[in-house]
């Protein structure tokens, strides 16, 4: 079992090598410049690596990029093996990252919150305070009342 620092270091190396190889070494038109490697995780025994990616485009582009990554898996694993210099090169698994969908959901929720805040601000713009402008007693008010 490898330590976490070594697994993290290998994951970072895999992310860099795969991204570089996709950009300059793989001639598959399905991969092009619209595939971005977002994260890489390696198991504790350094045998398996999960590579997370995003694709700029629609569902058809995502499907073709997934097929392109599957077909280029051997070439990418060979490049990782050369760069890592380890006894065993981890197997690569490509997983589409849910980051863009999560970001879109968060943006939608923030838009709803902004609309709700604007509605509350609009409704309260002409309203008066329930107990007057300053409902709290001040020390000077007691002296005025006794005099």
């Amino acid at each position: 079992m490898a330590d976490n620092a070594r697994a993290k270091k290998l994951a970072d190396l895999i992310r860099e090598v795969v991204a570089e190889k996709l950009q300059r070494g793989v001639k598959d038109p399905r991969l092009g410049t619209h595939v971005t490697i977002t994260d890489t995780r390696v198991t504790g025994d350094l045998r398996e690596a999960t590579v997370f990616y995003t694709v700029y485009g629609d569902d058809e582009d995502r499907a073709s990029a997934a097929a392109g990554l599957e077909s280029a898996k051997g070439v990418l694993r060979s490049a990782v093996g050369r760069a890592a210099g380890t006894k065993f090169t981890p197997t690569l698994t490509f997983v589409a990252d849910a980051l863009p969908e999560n970001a879109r959901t968060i943006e939608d929720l923030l838009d709803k919150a902004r609309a709700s805040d604007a509605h509350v601000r609009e409704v309260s713009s002409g309203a008066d305070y329930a107990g007057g402008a300053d409902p709290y007693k001040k020390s000077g008010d007691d002296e005025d009342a006794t005099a």
Side-chain angles (χ1 to χ4, degrees):
M1 191 83 153
D3 60 27
N4 287 337
R6 186 171 178 199
K8 174 78 171 123
K9 189 172 159 183
L10 182 61
D12 290 343
L13 177 72
I14 291 171
R15 187 185 74 239
E16 291 172 12
V17 168
V18 169
E20 179 71 26
K21 192 71 173 170
L22 285 176
Q23 187 177 18
R24 296 205 175 118
V26 178
K27 302 294 185 210
D28 194 339
R30 297 175 290 187
L31 298 176
T33 58
H34 50 270
V35 175
T36 303
I37 304 301
T38 56
D39 193 18
T40 306
R41 296 187 186 140
V42 178
T43 57
D45 61 356
L46 306 179
R47 295 280 180 168
E48 298 175 13
T50 304
V51 180
F52 295 92
Y53 67 94
T54 59
V55 179
Y56 181 74
D58 57 1
D59 289 335
E60 183 180 319
D61 291 335
R62 288 185 193 98
S64 67
L69 287 171
E70 276 301 312
S71 69
K73 188 184 286 190
V75 173
L76 296 172
R77 185 173 180 217
S78 297
V80 168
R82 278 192 301 275
T86 57
K87 185 175 184 181
F88 181 81
T89 303
T91 58
L92 301 178
T93 304
F94 293 97
V95 177
D97 200 353
L99 184 70
E101 289 81 21
N102 291 344
R104 194 168 333 175
T105 302
I106 290 171
E107 282 298 323
D108 290 343
L109 292 172
L110 288 173
D111 288 341
K112 285 181 184 178
R114 284 185 198 104
S116 175
D117 287 349
H119 176 69
V120 167
R121 199 173 310 116
E122 180 182 313
V123 168
S124 67
S125 64
D128 291 331
Y129 293 102
D134 190 9
Y136 300 104
K137 285 187 172 183
K138 293 187 173 64
S139 61
D141 291 342
D142 291 338
E143 294 172 7
D144 293 337
T146 58

